[in-house]
Amino acid sequence: MTREDPPAPVDLSPAWPARAAWGTATRLRAWQSAALEQYFSDEPQDFLAVATPGAGKTTFALTVASELLARRVVDRITVVAPTEHLKTQWAEAAEKVGIPLDPSYAGRAGKTSTDYVGVAVTYAGVAVNPLAHRIRTERWRTLVILDEVHHAGDAMSWGEAVHEAFDPAARRLALTGTPFRSDVNPIPFVRYEDGPDGVPRSAADYTYGYAHALADHVVRPVLFLAYSGEMAWRTRAGDEVSARLGEPLTTDLTAQALRTALDPRGSWIPSVLQAADRRLSEVRRHVPDAGGLVIAGDQDSARAYAALLAQVAGEKPVVVLSDEKSSSKRIADFAAGEQRWMVAVRMVSEGVDVPRLAVGVYATTISTPLFFAQAVGRFVRARSRGETASVFVPSVPALLGFASELELERDHVLGRTISDEDDIFAAEDELLARAQQTQDEVTDDALPFEALNSQARFDRVLYDGGEFGHAGEVHVGSEEEMDFLGIPGLLEPDQMRSLLQQRQSDRARSQQARDRAAAKERAERGEPEPVAEVSTHERLAVLRRELNGLVAAWHHRTDQPHGVIHNRLRRETGGPAASVATAEELHARIDKLRDWAQAAS
């Protein structure tokens, strides 16, 4: 079932609210109660719960574990997590609800202390010795919790190991916030059903998506601040190339422009970090302990970004480079403290719970929907109403597409035919390899060019499926940029939308007044009217904003998710995603939406 029609609240076992995982909720949320009702009604051996990051998957899973232990359905718990840090985090959360787990267990050890009710391991650890885990699973009636289960498909050997180790389990509970992968490797213990096109898709037993969690005030809305600018680099052949970040380019040129922007020796990333710090200062006016996170692509870049932030913010940021135990402690200290910034390399992209993170900078070249969703998930954990997350992103078509369709729920698709190079589901080998490499690896494509210089320009804001910004080029540090950086840190979603629209329209009216005054002066002097020249990128930006504004209005009229509306428009009018569509294609979608509105009135 889905979150669309949750069952009414039921009389739950007294164990459930009392054993809710510490730090997530003092009482069970509506979706957790509904999912628990379904789970204990069906009593399945396998259950896949898909819940958006920040919704409380840990609470749900540990409540299931507590109840199964209390009913003596199982005797032992095994938690499988993607990283060393996350298995420790699971052990700490479980300890607080009376389920002691051993996070240092290794399959080769065979046994663990009788003080423990179970163990917490990683997918990589299971792959090292699946037989040892199988023997343990056979010895006791075991509940296996597979956290972020899509990682079990990271390698064929991992999937096979998970199957071998946990096939004898009495119960298996799979959890994920992103039930899709960038490849077609099947996810173990996940049911696949044929879709309308005959292609198998993952089937969740319970789904609680971002759009529903946002409506329930379980997660924060996200304000995406996109930055473009001019880039220049030298190719391996010695040719100098200049391009504007975000304009239609080939895949290779887009990747090189993005790497140029993220080069700490240029001007783009320092400007964006400075803007992000200004945004964090504004947020901290209303949320004093709000923190920021920069997600870097490699260790050298992370250290360079940290040095830049130290100059901008006036204090050294926390730097997290690996899954070592000291890094876990640094994350925990940051989560409990009040430092302004943390810089991390992928480690904090998934599952790590730092609720005070409110401002982020996406400073990595990884451009897959899976990684982007996981990264944004670090900022959406709600603590109180009115908090809004702010994420700074490069104006790259793929990333802007992910941002505009954040609420669109996706399933893992097996054997899908790739026919559109702009398809956000495309399993591009290079991007996948980059997303799965370790922090210390250096790929060949990191070396074929030399970044020469870069300049940042504020591009637009994406919020609730709509786009907001000012016409023309907006310089970093200008009043036009501060219209959006200076938005208060505590606003309800409707207030945020209204304020964005107001600031955009106020600036437009001011510009129109200045234009009229200038025209009047020219007329008094007898000068002819200048011929206005609008660049292609400005015209496309205006059309995209108009389209997204209409999509947002249709969403509030019909309650359909923005992504669903965009997909329907693409089906009916043709063409690629709006971020790379032509002016003619955007006009066609605008006209189609107006036809819908007229027909519905």
Side-chain angles (χ1 to χ4, degrees):
M1 67 178 293
T2 68
R3 163 63 181 80
E4 293 179 2
D5 297 297
V10 297
D11 294 330
L12 303 175
S13 162
W16 287 357
R19 295 178 182 176
W22 178 87
T24 306
T26 55
R27 298 183 60 185
L28 290 178
R29 292 166 175 161
W31 83 264
Q32 294 163 336
S33 297
L36 285 164
E37 170 68 11
Q38 180 180 337
Y39 183 88
F40 285 103
S41 173
D42 298 345
E43 295 190 349
Q45 182 181 19
D46 288 293
F47 191 90
L48 172 61
V50 175
T52 189
K57 293 186 293 295
T58 301
T59 296
F60 168 69
L62 291 177
T63 305
V64 169
S66 297
E67 192 66 15
L68 290 177
L69 288 169
R71 296 183 183 188
R72 300 189 183 278
V73 176
V74 300
D75 306 309
R76 293 289 187 274
I77 308 295
T78 296
V79 175
V80 190
T83 66
E84 292 288 328
H85 177 81
L86 285 178
K87 74 175 186 180
T88 302
Q89 186 170 291
W90 268 97
E92 291 172 351
E95 183 73 29
K96 291 180 172 67
V97 297
I99 305 178
L101 300 179
D102 182 4
S104 61
Y105 175 80
R108 62 180 179 276
K111 296 182 179 180
T112 188
S113 171
T114 55
D115 289 340
Y116 294 112
V117 177
V119 299
V121 297
T122 64
Y123 289 102
V126 172
V128 170
N129 195 344
L131 181 58
H133 292 279
R134 182 183 182 92
I135 292 172
R136 178 181 177 83
T137 304
E138 289 175 335
R139 185 173 299 169
W140 292 287
R141 291 174 299 175
T142 303
L143 165 66
V144 178
I145 299 174
L146 298 163
D147 184 29
E148 303 297 350
V149 69
H150 53 272
H151 281 289
D154 279 355
M156 292 301 293
S157 60
W158 283 25
E160 293 167 357
V162 169
H163 263 299
E164 180 180 353
F166 303 121
D167 184 65
R171 297 285 181 93
R172 289 179 292 263
L173 175 58
L175 309 171
T176 182
T178 46
F180 57 95
R181 294 182 52 80
S182 299
D183 57 16
V184 294
N185 287 344
I187 304 171
F189 304 120
V190 168
R191 186 175 75 258
Y192 288 86
E193 297 176 351
D194 288 343
D197 54 1
V199 177
R201 286 174 168 80
S202 61
D205 296 287
Y206 192 90
T207 299
Y208 186 66
Y210 175 78
H212 294 121
L214 186 61
D216 291 343
H217 303 285
V218 170
V219 296
R220 299 168 178 158
V222 183
L223 191 74
F224 290 98
L225 298 104
Y227 280 73
S228 60
E230 297 298 328
M231 307 294 138
W233 65 93
R234 182 180 292 110
T235 67
R236 183 164 47 189
D239 298 327
E240 292 191 8
V241 180
S242 296
R244 184 179 179 85
L245 189 66
E247 68 182 10
L249 298 170
T250 65
T251 301
D252 289 343
L253 288 177
T254 297
Q256 291 175 358
L258 178 56
R259 291 202 297 272
T260 301
L262 299 180
D263 190 319
R265 295 166 296 183
S267 297
W268 191 92
I269 190 67
S271 297
V272 171
L273 292 177
Q274 188 170 21
D277 189 68
R278 286 199 298 270
R279 177 63 186 151
L280 180 59
S281 294
E282 187 62 43
V283 172
R284 285 171 75 103
R285 292 177 187 269
H286 307 277
V287 187
D289 69 337
L293 168 66
V294 178
I295 300 177
D298 57 71
Q299 293 191 7
D300 290 339
S301 294
R303 295 187 183 97
Y305 297 163
L308 292 170
L309 275 173
Q311 298 175 4
V312 169
E315 67 176 58
K316 291 184 178 180
V318 175
V319 180
V320 180
L321 298 178
S322 68
D323 282 343
E324 297 173 355
K325 292 182 179 179
S326 60
S327 295
S328 295
K329 185 177 186 304
R330 284 197 291 273
I331 294 174
D333 290 344
F334 181 85
E338 295 187 357
Q339 301 99 316
R340 290 178 68 88
W341 284 100
M342 175 164 58
V343 182
V345 182
R346 293 192 58 213
M347 184 180 176
V348 193
S349 66
E350 181 179 49
V352 175
D353 187 15
V354 186
R356 71 185 189 90
L357 286 176
V359 177
V361 179
Y362 192 88
T364 173
T365 57
I366 301 174
S367 301
T368 63
L370 174 63
F371 187 86
F372 186 84
Q374 292 167 351
V376 174
R378 299 316 97 218
F379 305 96
V380 301
R381 297 176 184 270
R383 297 185 299 176
S384 62
R385 290 189 60 163
E387 291 185 346
T388 300
S390 302
V391 179
F392 289 71
V393 296
S395 287
V396 174
L399 299 181
L400 298 182
F402 304 156
S404 65
E405 299 180 348
L406 183 64
E407 80 282 14
L408 179 62
E409 295 171 10
R410 304 185 181 96
D411 295 315
H412 181 215
V413 181
L414 288 180
R416 187 176 186 279
T417 301
I418 305 301
S419 58
D420 182 354
E421 67 175 5
D422 295 316
D423 190 337
I424 62 174
F425 294 100
E428 298 181 24
D429 293 338
E430 178 210 357
L431 291 177
L432 179 62
R434 191 183 308 156
Q436 294 178 339
Q437 72 184 12
T438 65
Q439 290 100 330
D440 293 316
E441 289 179 322
V442 177
T443 56
D444 291 337
D445 67 350
L447 303 175
F449 83 112
E450 175 190 359
L452 298 178
N453 58 72
S454 59
Q455 298 292 328
R457 294 290 183 269
F458 175 78
D459 186 4
R460 71 191 95 158
V461 166
L462 293 88
Y463 179 79
D464 194 27
E467 293 188 5
F468 307 87
H470 300 312
E473 199 170 67
V474 177
H475 294 269
V476 173
S478 65
E479 291 183 5
E480 289 83 359
E481 182 193 35
M482 284 305 299
D483 283 344
F484 300 103
L485 295 184
I487 289 175
L490 279 177
L491 285 176
E492 291 293 327
D494 289 343
Q495 294 174 325
M496 174 67 74
R497 190 182 309 108
S498 298
L499 183 57
L500 287 167
Q501 293 170 344
Q502 177 186 337
R503 295 200 171 182
Q504 178 172 278
S505 60
D506 287 350
R507 185 68 63 176
R509 282 195 295 269
S510 297
Q511 184 61 48
Q512 289 170 1
R514 289 193 294 270
D515 291 343
R516 285 195 296 268
K520 183 178 180 181
E521 290 180 5
R522 286 193 298 270
E524 291 174 350
R525 293 194 299 264
E527 298 177 359
E529 286 289 328
V531 179
E533 293 185 5
V534 180
S535 66
T536 300
H537 75 85
E538 288 176 337
R539 183 169 66 255
L540 289 174
V542 169
L543 289 172
R544 281 195 298 266
R545 288 171 190 150
E546 183 179 0
L547 172 62
N548 284 319
L550 291 171
V551 167
W554 189 253
H555 158 71
H556 291 294
R557 185 171 183 173
T558 65
D559 205 31
Q560 295 178 6
H562 294 84
V564 172
I565 300 170
H566 278 291
N567 284 343
R568 181 182 170 190
L569 287 170
R570 288 181 64 181
R571 286 197 303 271
E572 295 194 16
T573 64
S579 58
V580 292
T582 65
E584 182 179 355
E585 290 163 341
L586 292 172
H587 274 299
R589 294 176 200 182
I590 289 170
D591 292 341
K592 177 62 68 174
L593 258 175
R594 287 174 175 160
D595 291 343
W596 294 351
Q598 186 175 2
S601 60

